[in-house]
Amino acid sequence: MGWPDGYGRRVLAEVDSTNAEAARLAPGLAGPEWILALRQSAARGRRGRAWVNPEGNFAATLVMPAREAPDRLALRSFVAAVSLHDALARVIGSDAGLALKWPNDVLLHGGKLAGILLESLGGPGGHLAIGIGVNLVAAPDRGQVEPGAVAPVALWPETGVRVTPEALLMALAGGYAGFEAQFTTYGFDPIRTAWLARAARLGEVVTARTAREEITGTFETVDAGGNLVLKTPQARHAIAAADVFF
C-alpha cells in the first residue's frame, strides 16, 4: 500500500509533542498532513496525562481541516481506531490478540498497546489533530498507570515483531485514507459496524467512570453518536465520556 494521495507527510527527528507541532503548523496547511516524530520530549495523553514515549515507539499526529460540527469531528476517533487496528494487524501479519477499547485504545493480548487523542485547534473553521501513540518497542512500567487501568504492553516483547515507526506510518496512512473516504461518503454507520466487530468485551460487564459517577453494566453497543451504551438492571445508559475499566 503506497502513500495516499492528498495527504502530506512530515518526519521529525525530535519534537515536544506531535499534537503541539500540529497546532503550530496548522494555520499554514492547505490539506491533511501526517506528522511523525522519532522522539518526543513532552508527549501527552488524555486529560493532560503524561505519555511515556521512548525512542523506537510510534508517535504521530494527523492534522486536518475541521469543517464539520464538533460532534461529527469527534467520530474521527473511531475512524482512527479502526485504521490503527488494521494497520497493526497488517504489520504483525495477524489480527490475533488485537481489540479496540472504548473510547480510544488499542489492546494486544488484553494490554494497552496504543492510545488516540483528539484535539481541536483554532476553534470553528480551524483544524483537528488526531494524535496516535503506539508502544512498538517498550511500554511504561505498570506503576506508571492509574490503579485498575489496563496494563500497558509493547509490540516487540508481545509478538517478537520489530516494526519501525516509518513502516507503521505507511500502513496507517493508507488505511486511514480509505476509512476516511468511507466515513465522508457513507457516514458513521459502516465505521461503527467495523469498530464493534473489533471491540473488546462487547456483551460483557464493564465499569465506566465519569467525572460524576461510576456505572457498571453490560457493554451493549456503541450508538450512532459514538456513546458507550451500558445496560444495568435499572436502565440503559448512553455515556459520552468516561474511563472504562474491566
Side-chain angles (χ1 to χ4, degrees), residues 127-139:
H127 288 75
L128 176 70
I130 306 173
I132 297 173
V134 184
N135 301 324
L136 291 180
V137 298

Side-chain angles (χ1 to χ4, degrees), residues 96-163:
L98 287 169
L100 298 177
K101 176 177 178 284
W102 189 93
N104 56 5
D105 294 340
V106 181
L107 307 183
L108 176 61
H109 303 151
K112 180 174 176 175
L113 177 66
I116 298 167
L117 173 68
L118 267 63
E119 291 185 331
S120 178
L121 308 176
H127 288 75
L128 176 70
I130 306 173
I132 297 173
V134 184
N135 301 324
L136 291 180
V137 298
D141 292 332
R142 186 68 177 84
Q144 292 178 273
V145 300
E146 63 183 299
V150 173
V153 298
L155 185 68
W156 179 39
E158 286 291 315
T159 67
V161 176
R162 300 274 327 223
V163 177

Side-chain angles (χ1 to χ4, degrees), residues 4-125:
D5 291 339
Y7 286 76
R9 172 172 42 180
R10 194 174 303 232
V11 179
L12 307 173
E14 182 172 349
V15 74
D16 48 358
S17 85
T18 55
N19 270 27
E21 182 70 1
R24 292 187 287 265
L25 294 173
L29 297 178
E33 181 149 342
W34 282 98
I35 303 164
L36 174 70
L38 302 184
R39 185 177 180 277
Q40 287 190 119
S41 59
R44 290 177 290 111
R46 290 180 70 222
R47 301 177 183 173
R49 296 167 181 154
W51 179 274
V52 179
N53 188 247
E55 193 167 351
N57 280 358
F58 181 87
T61 295
L62 172 61
V63 57
M64 58 195 302
R67 302 192 181 103
E68 299 164 307
D71 57 347
R72 181 171 170 84
L73 287 172
L75 296 176
R76 292 293 193 312
S77 65
F78 294 91
V79 180
V82 172
S83 304
L84 181 56
H85 174 285
D86 287 13
L88 287 164
R90 198 149 44 244
V91 297
I92 294 169
S94 169
D95 65 358
L98 287 169
L100 298 177
K101 176 177 178 284
W102 189 93
N104 56 5
D105 294 340
V106 181
L107 307 183
L108 176 61
H109 303 151
K112 180 174 176 175
L113 177 66
I116 298 167
L117 173 68
L118 267 63
E119 291 185 331
S120 178
L121 308 176

